[in-house]
Amino acid sequence: MHLHNTLTGRKDVFTPLDPNRVTMYVCGPTVYSYAHIGNARPAVVFDVLSRVLRARYPRVDYVRNITDIDDKINAAAVKEGVDIRVITDRYAAAYHEDLAALGVARPDFEPRVTEHLPQILDMIGRLVDSGHAYAAEGHVLFHTRGFADYGQLSKRDEQSLMAGARVEVAPYKRHAGDFVLWKPSSEDQPGWDSPWGRGRPGWHIECSAMAEALLGETIDIHGGGHDLIFPHHENENAQSVCAHGGKAFARYWVHNGFLNVNSEKMSKSIGNVLLVRKLLEQAPGEAIRLVLLTAHYRQPLDWTDDVLAEASKKLDRLYGALRDLADVTATPNRPAPAAFVAALEDDLNTPQALAVLFELSRDANKATTPDARAAAKADLLAAGRLLGLLQGDPADWFAHGDAAEGLSPALEAMLAERVAARAARDWAASDRLRDALAAEGILVEDSKDGQRWRRA
Ligand code: AMP
Ligand code: ZN
């Protein structure tokens, strides 16, 4: 298996430290608002990676944290006049609902920062004791000049590291690039007692401490969106390596590219932020998931107005092949086809894997003998399982179509008109409407339960 490693800048052969226990840590959401479709991208990408790893190794410990201490959370709580817990519980629950709709399995561990204060304080203490961090004015700061490899992950030199630091340098910092491990809280801010006074942890130390607590000092894979490389991952790496006497922190750093909307960065000021829950009103979660897998995870992904309809059509084809195999039982214990697995094991090449999946559906349509049809069904289901697709009942997928989701009002009106025409036994009108709908790519069928439609 190969994975692109941000640390080495190339595709490396993946060999876990312990083949009996692969460890993976992915930075999870800061829970102060609903997840947008960009937030869903790393969740889906690393869900697929965990599936591929689980198929290959006997045990995978996958950690995705919930950041429930953060100044944006504090601001949201102040605005609503509630405890931060109200905010974080609400949006953590919403995150789980949204991801479940996209077929994302729960990670093995989902630590919350508020449940790891002792571990965070312990790690800060070790960094202070070893001279890698210093206390100043109620803060504890990481001494970046004391770590020779600082900048290695993000490939930044001294100058760009400084440019990345805050423009206005706090007076208590020894160097502009030093970052906060602990900061003081005012009376009205959430805070925890510490040897440096009442305060709260910085964002970076939270992940270092939770990764150590659940996975140990050196982990196999660390993931997240590429915006996290600097400063978040650079700083996590510095803290963990220094707290562990120079031992490597993560052996493979894996970063997904960004998702843009109509070629623009999603932003509140442009007003083009697409929330997962809004998209779920337009299309089934499986279609949204498929869109996210159409681009290679390292490439940017452009979300445009037609991606959901295209993904729905593709799923019509795949579920159509499965529906035609409804009368056979899939061959038991048949592994996913080698070409399909090879694509995913080649740095998670999902576009290639999807191309193989469509080939499998064409093969399935051509299969005639009972054995060949049973094998084709097994192949489709096993490949689909690795991508987190096609695990539903084909009838349910097509029932979604009946709900007319994603259809234009004009097409919906034509469907309704045809139902009315048939009720009035106006067969000529019914046929005319069927042809007109077919020209629009909507195929209608009449069953004993009434009119059904699917995309051509
Ligand atoms: P946050 O809650 O902002 O820390 O983000 C959670 C995860 O979503 C991180 O791994 C980010 O890198 C990732 N992320 C945020 N925006 C996007 C985007 N537009 N495209 C892809 N990933 C994103
Ligand atoms: Zn993190």
Side-chain angles (χ1 to χ4, degrees):
M1 172 159 182
H2 288 78
L3 278 179
H4 185 275
N5 187 350
T6 306
L7 188 61
T8 59
R10 51 159 207 258
K11 214 150 78 168
D12 287 334
V13 176
F14 176 70
T15 41
L17 205 51
D18 174 2
N20 291 315
R21 182 191 181 223
V22 178
T23 53
M24 175 158 88
Y25 185 99
V26 174
C27 297
T30 304
V31 280
Y32 64 94
S33 61
Y34 291 112
H36 60 60
I37 187 65
N39 301 133
R41 191 175 190 194
V44 168
V45 163
F46 291 100
D47 179 57
V48 173
L49 180 54
S50 75
R51 288 166 190 256
V52 175
L53 291 168
R54 287 185 211 285
R56 204 186 153 97
Y57 297 99
R59 175 172 167 186
V60 177
D61 282 359
Y62 172 20
V63 177
R64 188 189 64 216
N65 70 288
I66 287 189
T67 298
D68 62 353
I69 299 179
D70 182 272
D71 287 351
K72 293 196 204 87
I73 296 172
N74 296 345
V78 167
K79 203 169 160 196
E80 290 191 27
V82 295
D83 191 83
I84 56 168
R85 186 81 205 205
V86 174
I87 302 288
T88 57
D89 279 351
R90 181 197 304 153
Y91 292 109
Y95 186 73
H96 288 144
E97 275 169 26
D98 291 347
L99 292 198
L102 302 189
V104 175
R106 285 284 191 105
D108 301 282
F109 303 94
E110 200 171 44
R112 286 174 176 242
V113 182
T114 47
E115 288 161 4
H116 289 82
L117 264 301
Q119 291 88 340
I120 291 168
L121 289 170
D122 182 70
M123 195 176 224
I124 297 175
R126 279 180 276 144
L127 289 168
V128 171
D129 292 347
S130 59
H132 288 291
Y134 56 94
E137 297 180 28
H139 293 72
V140 181
L141 292 137
F142 187 87
H143 174 45
T144 45
R145 292 231 171 125
F147 179 50
D149 286 344
Y150 193 67
Q152 197 188 43
L153 177 67
S154 56
K155 318 228 167 350
R156 286 182 179 226
D157 55 17
E158 173 88 17
Q159 218 177 359
S160 52
L161 285 170
M162 291 310 116
R166 285 200 305 177
V167 185
E168 196 184 316
V169 178
Y172 47 79
K173 284 190 183 182
R174 280 192 205 157
H175 302 291
D178 293 356
F179 56 89
V180 158
L181 304 180
W182 189 260
K183 56 187 161 191
S185 291
S186 61
E187 274 301 305
D188 52 352
Q189 283 174 324
W192 289 262
D193 290 330
S194 86
W196 309 281
R198 185 174 168 280
R200 57 199 194 279
W203 173 33
H204 318 304
I205 195 72
E206 303 171 347
C207 285
S208 284
M210 290 186 286
E212 177 192 72
L214 290 159
L215 300 175
E217 295 187 337
T218 300
I219 63 178
D220 289 314
I221 299 170
H222 195 317
H226 80 77
D227 57 319
L228 300 185
I229 298 173
F230 185 85
H232 186 51
H233 288 167
E234 190 69 60
N235 293 351
E236 274 188 41
N237 188 58
Q239 298 160 159
S240 295
V241 170
C242 292
H244 300 146
K247 265 191 231 159
F249 172 40
R251 301 171 60 243
Y252 300 85
W253 288 88
V254 180
H255 293 105
N256 66 269
F258 251 42
L259 180 150
N260 297 315
V261 174
N262 295 319
S263 308
E264 277 186 309
K265 196 179 159 153
M266 244 190 287
S267 88
K268 276 199 185 138
S269 55
I270 302 178
N272 63 348
V273 177
L274 297 178
L275 296 185
V276 174
R277 25 196 65 208
K278 280 282 163 208
L279 291 170
L280 284 167
E281 289 170 9
Q282 294 170 28
E286 199 167 349
I288 298 174
R289 183 179 178 101
L290 178 55
V291 176
L292 294 174
L293 297 175
T294 49
H296 186 265
Y297 79 89
R298 297 184 56 223
Q299 298 302 320
L301 191 157
D302 195 24
W303 192 280
T304 56
D305 296 338
D306 43 3
V307 289
L308 280 176
E310 274 167 28
S312 285
K313 264 192 233 168
K314 288 179 185 161
L315 283 165
D316 282 350
R317 272 178 25 219
L318 295 168
Y319 270 120
L322 280 171
R323 183 171 58 181
D324 292 343
L325 295 167
D327 59 311
V328 289
T329 305
T331 313
N333 304 322
R334 195 175 151 89
F340 180 84
V341 175
L344 288 181
E345 291 192 346
D346 178 15
D347 195 28
L348 222 59
N349 190 338
T350 54
Q352 175 63 23
L354 286 169
V356 177
L357 187 62
F358 283 106
E359 247 168 67
L360 291 173
S361 78
R362 283 192 290 275
D363 292 348
N365 292 336
K366 278 186 251 154
T368 48
T369 67
D371 279 356
R373 295 178 71 235
K377 185 169 183 175
D379 286 353
L380 275 175
L381 290 174
R385 194 171 304 121
L386 282 172
L387 289 175
L389 298 173
L390 303 184
Q391 303 307 297
D393 184 335
D396 290 342
W397 169 261
F398 288 105
H400 254 291
D402 285 322
E405 274 168 358
L407 279 191
S408 67
L411 290 175
E412 278 182 43
M414 280 160 79
L415 283 169
E417 230 179 286
R418 187 169 178 277
V419 171
R422 292 183 68 76
R425 303 186 149 264
D426 183 351
W427 311 123
S430 154
D431 288 351
R432 186 168 37 74
L433 284 160
R434 186 186 53 209
D435 294 345
L437 282 158
E440 299 289 330
I442 302 297
L443 303 183
V444 291
E445 284 166 22
D446 300 301
S447 73
K448 62 179 186 337
D449 304 323
Q451 171 177 291
R452 305 192 339 166
W453 66 268
R454 64 186 170 90
R455 290 194 168 83

